Amino acid sequence: MVLPVIRQYGVINIYLGADSMPSRLQLANAIRALSMDAVQRANSGHPGAPMGMANIAEVLWNDFLQHNPANPQWFNRDRFVLSNGHGSMLLYSLLHLSGYNLSIDDLKQFRQLNSHTAGHPELAHALGIETTTGPLGQGLANAVGIAIAEQTLAHQFNRSGHTLIDHFTYVFLGDGCLMEGISHEACSLAGTLGLGKLVACYDDNGISIDGEVEGWFNDDTPQRFAAYGWQVIPAIDGHDTNAIYAALKQARGNTSQPTLICCKTLIGFGSPNKQGKAVCHGAPLGVAEIALTRKALDWPYDAFEVPADIYQAWNARDTGAEVEQDWNQRFKAYHAAHSELSDQLLRRISGTLPTCFNVDADAHITELQSAGATVASRQASQHTLNTLGPMLPELLGGSADLAGSNLTLWQGCKSINKIDASGNYIYYGVREFAMSAIMSGIALHGGFIPYGATFLVFMEYARNAVRMAALMRQRVLFVYSHDSIGLGEDGPTHQPVEQLANLRLTPNLDTWRPCDTVESAVAWKAGLQRQDSPTALIFSRQKLPHQERNQDQVAAIARGGYTLYDCDGLPECLIIATGSEVSIAMQAAAELSQQGRRVRMVSMPCTSVFERQSAEYREQVLSAAITARVAVEAAHQDYWYKYVGLQGKVIGISEFGSSAPASQLYERYGITVAAVVTAVNELV
């Protein structure tokens, strides 16, 4: 598309008459009008960013973005991420104007109950919303993950004469995103990996909620990103269409580096009394100011009114259908030349596992039960990866500088880098937060099942990214080792206490804490099978004894909780345990049985999975008639009262740990066989 020569404009000359207003400015003003109208109608929202970034968005969406509004999930589409998610009306206006299934009535329902236009964008691929954004900086990290997925998938599947995976990831971001530490983590890695199809447009308007940012944010952002290894295009007038076009063209021309385009903009552009001021960041302009803004922008239309010629100029359905059809033809040629690869790609895009997976995974579990090995569950995890990994080319693993401790490297791992991205493992460096958000981006892109690891206690660095994965129901596996005071000498800074409860209380997240090799393999199988939500896998540093089971007990592990030890008749006491404490509970159960107590011991590797079982099964395991109950876990005690009741007892820890060998710590904090026996005898 050849750009018309247009007049440059800015704060001093926004009052343009209809005769002189360029058509592209009219297209951008449609965004501004819809944004300020929707925020005003809701009496809530952020009009400033959409109005300030309207020109940038217009050029990107009308001249560069490869997408099809009639099929928002077309796989080779360019991805657009609005990291400064408070400016959601920018995205909603773009989707509506360009022809997505987002109506003017949807815009009128901005921020209302059950609306498609929530206060911050919420993942809805069918509507063209690529990710949920709002916590600043995470959308940027998601975009890095999407770009990693595109680059890696291209290296894995593209062949000479057949460029099948070939799309860009565009992300809009603001000052707030760059102030957040996650932006450093993610963008540093993006530069290292040479993500040349990642283009970030920085809305440099100098304003945040508290006012002019120069008092608390005066970084040399271009130098910062240049140091990361990015291509930086500085000081672009974000209201100059020609300058924006040239910058985006330059960005696309460099596919060896990610690009940051620094766009100087005026927040609330067009508002005579509020543009450039914090007052328009997060509040409606007001009826009177909107009237003045309409006059200033020469937009003589009623609220939510867009003229037909503007709609026609924005509509991308015809061009979108053409680019998708072209890709479909390329895919046919690719399939003819590389049928096995194309079949694998389609399977991976659909998210289905290989047909052999269940059979092979179950055979592995059976083998482990027979072998009876006593190893740390982190080692059991690695053994399972060595078995399952070769059949899962979609696995894209990684660790936050702890691969040798988390044991997430398996024999078939190959790291990705800027030269060769065809591998299946990412060395994330000490970047727990970015790693976790990047994995969501990888999952959002499709074609991969990402997993990433750190110590359990350092989940805290990444907590909000874990929450966002759960909120978006992404197929992400968070691997956490060194799960308790059992890690020993590293001390309380490294010993998790409250983290397990935190994870278990997170909606949509399944948290598995297995007790041996068999439960570890079942946990991996369950996490890999789960397509609609994330999973946390919790592993020990110390060795865990193998538990004997019959075939039915092995099968019951997948139900999240099951009876591992039982007595004849109705038990008089019930012991519940997880992970490393299952062996302690089993020893206590044996001793109590010798004392004549009727004991049932329940292993509960995943409480959320157990709670999704039928009422009949849950009653079978945790019989209501058994009121004497003890829970055992080297973690915060409070979570377990939901299972033992206020009259029950919990053997656990509710204070920070200490630096000492693990065996001494278990004695010091009273997580022992003797403590369990005593607790049961006090209740019965």
Side-chain angles (χ1 to χ4, degrees):
M1 180 180 294
V2 178
L3 279 172
V5 178
I6 63 171
R7 176 183 172 187
Q8 295 191 15
Y9 50 89
V11 61
I12 62 172
N13 59 352
I14 63 170
Y15 295 92
L16 299 174
D19 293 340
S20 59
M21 185 179 293
S23 63
R24 301 202 68 151
L25 181 56
Q26 289 180 317
L27 298 181
N29 285 344
I31 297 171
R32 296 184 170 106
L34 290 172
S35 297
M36 67 182 182
D37 289 342
V39 171
Q40 187 65 42
R41 186 180 180 99
N43 197 30
S44 173
H46 300 76
M51 296 175 73
M53 299 193 79
N55 297 101
I56 308 167
E58 188 275 319
V59 175
L60 172 61
W61 279 61
N62 283 326
D63 292 310
F64 294 99
L65 198 72
Q66 177 178 268
H67 65 128
N68 183 8
N71 183 13
Q73 299 182 70
W74 168 46
F75 191 71
N76 200 47
R77 67 190 183 277
D78 290 338
R79 271 62 165 184
F80 175 79
V81 174
L82 184 70
S83 187
N84 46 341
H86 55 271
S88 56
M89 271 308 305
L90 174 70
L91 176 58
Y92 302 147
S93 298
L94 289 165
L95 294 171
H96 169 70
L97 290 167
S98 59
Y100 287 80
N101 190 28
L102 201 70
S103 70
I104 198 69
D105 288 333
D106 288 321
L107 303 192
K108 292 177 179 179
Q109 289 299 305
F110 179 56
R111 287 181 165 237
Q112 305 307 300
L113 184 64
N114 296 325
S115 166
H116 293 311
T117 49
H120 293 81
E122 296 180 9
L123 174 65
H125 282 310
L127 299 174
I129 304 172
E130 299 285 2
T131 183
T132 299
T133 57
L136 292 177
Q138 283 202 62
L140 175 57
N142 289 165
V144 171
I146 293 170
I148 288 173
E150 189 276 341
Q151 179 171 276
T152 303
L153 210 64
H155 277 241
Q156 290 181 355
F157 284 95
N158 289 350
R159 294 294 184 267
S160 179
H162 299 277
T163 303
L164 197 64
I165 308 300
D166 181 23
H167 61 80
F168 282 79
T169 301
Y170 299 98
V171 55
F172 280 12
L173 57 113
D175 294 304
C177 293
L178 294 182
M179 286 185 245
E180 292 284 359
I182 191 174
S183 70
H184 164 69
E185 295 182 25
C187 294
S188 172
L189 183 62
T192 300
L193 294 179
L195 302 179
K197 291 185 177 177
L198 174 64
V199 179
C201 294
Y202 166 35
D203 182 27
D204 184 10
N205 60 34
I207 297 292
S208 67
I209 293 176
D210 283 348
E212 297 180 5
V213 302
E214 61 184 10
W216 50 87
F217 182 63
N218 60 3
D219 300 14
D220 189 333
T221 298
Q223 288 288 342
R224 170 185 165 187
F225 276 76
Y228 293 152
W230 287 51
Q231 172 183 222
V232 179
I233 305 175
I236 297 299
D237 184 347
H239 305 298
D240 181 343
T241 300
N242 284 332
I244 298 164
Y245 181 91
L248 285 166
K249 187 175 181 180
Q250 180 181 341
R252 288 170 55 90
N254 181 353
T255 55
S256 62
Q257 295 173 285
T259 297
L260 179 73
I261 304 174
C262 302
C263 302
K264 288 287 185 180
T265 65
L266 194 67
I267 191 170
F269 180 94
S271 171
N273 298 303
K274 296 186 176 182
Q275 64 183 6
K277 301 176 182 178
V279 68
C280 71
H281 173 90
L285 296 181
V287 174
E289 186 66 16
I290 286 177
L292 292 174
T293 304
R294 279 188 155 77
K295 182 178 180 182
L297 296 175
D298 197 11
W299 188 260
Y301 310 106
D302 293 336
F304 297 102
E305 180 184 355
V306 178
D309 59 338
I310 297 294
Y311 273 126
Q312 183 177 357
W314 266 107
N315 194 297
R317 285 190 166 233
D318 289 344
T319 56
E322 290 176 6
V323 294
E324 182 178 353
Q325 180 59 31
D326 175 72
W327 188 81
N328 289 338
Q329 291 300 318
R330 285 190 281 142
F331 187 89
K332 289 180 180 179
Y334 180 84
H335 179 74
H338 306 283
S339 60
E340 291 187 7
L341 278 175
S342 66
D343 289 344
Q344 183 194 133
L345 178 60
L346 290 175
R347 180 187 64 76
R348 289 169 58 171
I349 290 172
S350 72
T352 58
L353 296 172
T355 54
C356 64
F357 177 80
N358 285 342
V359 172
D360 289 352
D362 288 343
H364 172 63
I365 292 165
T366 300
E367 180 184 337
L368 291 172
Q369 184 62 46
S370 299
T374 292
V375 299
S377 55
R378 60 173 177 158
Q379 291 175 288
S381 168
Q382 186 179 48
H383 183 53
T384 292
L385 282 171
N386 277 320
T387 300
L388 301 182
M391 72 179 78
L392 297 173
E394 57 265 50
L395 275 184
L396 185 55
S399 178
D401 202 49
L402 289 169
S405 295
N406 302 137
L407 301 184
T408 47
L409 280 168
W410 54 279
Q411 293 172 357
C413 279
K414 173 187 174 183
S415 65
I416 69 171
N417 57 67
K418 66 170 61 179
I419 304 300
D420 181 5
S422 64
N424 59 1
Y425 198 86
I426 302 170
Y427 287 97
Y428 283 102
V430 188
R431 300 183 178 101
E432 296 90 353
F433 194 1
M435 175 184 72
S436 302
I438 285 169
M439 284 194 293
S440 281
I442 292 169
L444 286 161
H445 179 277
F448 293 102
I449 302 175
Y451 69 89
T454 185
F455 289 177
L456 177 56
V457 74
F458 299 136
M459 177 276 295
E460 297 289 356
Y461 280 128
R463 173 67 189 124
N464 199 257
V466 177
R467 182 180 189 271
M468 292 298 290
L471 179 62
M472 293 189 287
R473 291 184 165 277
Q474 289 306 292
R475 192 185 199 175
V476 174
L477 285 86
F478 300 103
V479 180
Y480 300 121
S481 68
H482 296 61
D483 68 341
S484 72
I485 57 172
L487 74 86
E489 290 87 345
D490 279 336
T493 62
H494 285 54
Q495 293 167 2
V497 174
E498 72 276 25
Q499 284 70 31
L500 277 169
N502 191 325
L503 291 169
R504 288 177 178 137
L505 291 170
T506 303
N508 305 330
L509 178 67
D510 282 351
T511 299
W512 289 82
R513 187 174 186 244
C515 75
D516 65 2
T517 61
V518 180
E519 286 192 359
S520 297
V522 172
W524 266 109
K525 179 188 175 188
L528 291 166
Q529 288 178 319
R530 197 176 190 220
Q531 296 189 34
D532 63 349
S533 285
T535 299
L537 303 174
I538 316 298
F539 300 119
S540 72
R541 179 190 185 189
Q542 71 273 32
K543 292 182 178 181
L544 305 182
H546 172 75
Q547 301 299 326
E548 293 297 326
R549 303 174 183 84
N550 60 37
Q551 191 174 9
D552 289 340
Q553 288 173 314
V554 172
I557 298 171
R559 306 185 79 165
Y562 65 103
T563 299
L564 184 59
Y565 179 94
D566 212 354
C567 61
D568 294 330
L570 181 67
E572 57 184 333
C573 61
L574 181 68
I575 305 173
I576 308 169
T578 81
S580 49
E581 288 68 67
V582 167
S583 64
I584 293 174
M586 286 292 285
Q587 293 176 63
E591 185 171 326
L592 287 162
S593 296
Q594 290 178 353
Q595 296 177 7
R597 297 294 189 194
R598 300 188 307 277
V599 181
R600 176 178 296 166
M601 212 300 289
V602 173
S603 178
M604 189 83 71
C606 186
T607 57
S608 56
V609 170
F610 178 76
E611 288 164 9
R612 293 199 295 269
Q613 304 305 305
S614 67
E616 291 77 12
Y617 178 78
R618 287 182 278 119
E619 170 62 19
Q620 177 186 330
V621 177
L622 302 181
S623 304
I626 311 171
T627 58
R629 299 184 176 197
V630 177
V632 192
E633 186 176 62
H636 203 287
Q637 299 163 314
D638 284 3
Y639 178 85
W640 289 103
Y641 286 103
K642 64 185 289 186
Y643 290 105
V644 304
L646 295 179
Q647 303 307 312
K649 293 182 179 290
V650 181
I651 308 299
I653 184 171
S654 57
E655 59 184 298
F656 296 120
S658 304
S659 178
S663 59
Q664 296 178 24
L665 292 172
Y666 272 80
E667 287 289 337
R668 174 172 179 172
Y669 294 103
I671 307 172
T672 63
V673 173
V676 178
V677 170
T678 299
V680 169
N681 283 325
E682 288 177 350
L683 291 172
V684 177

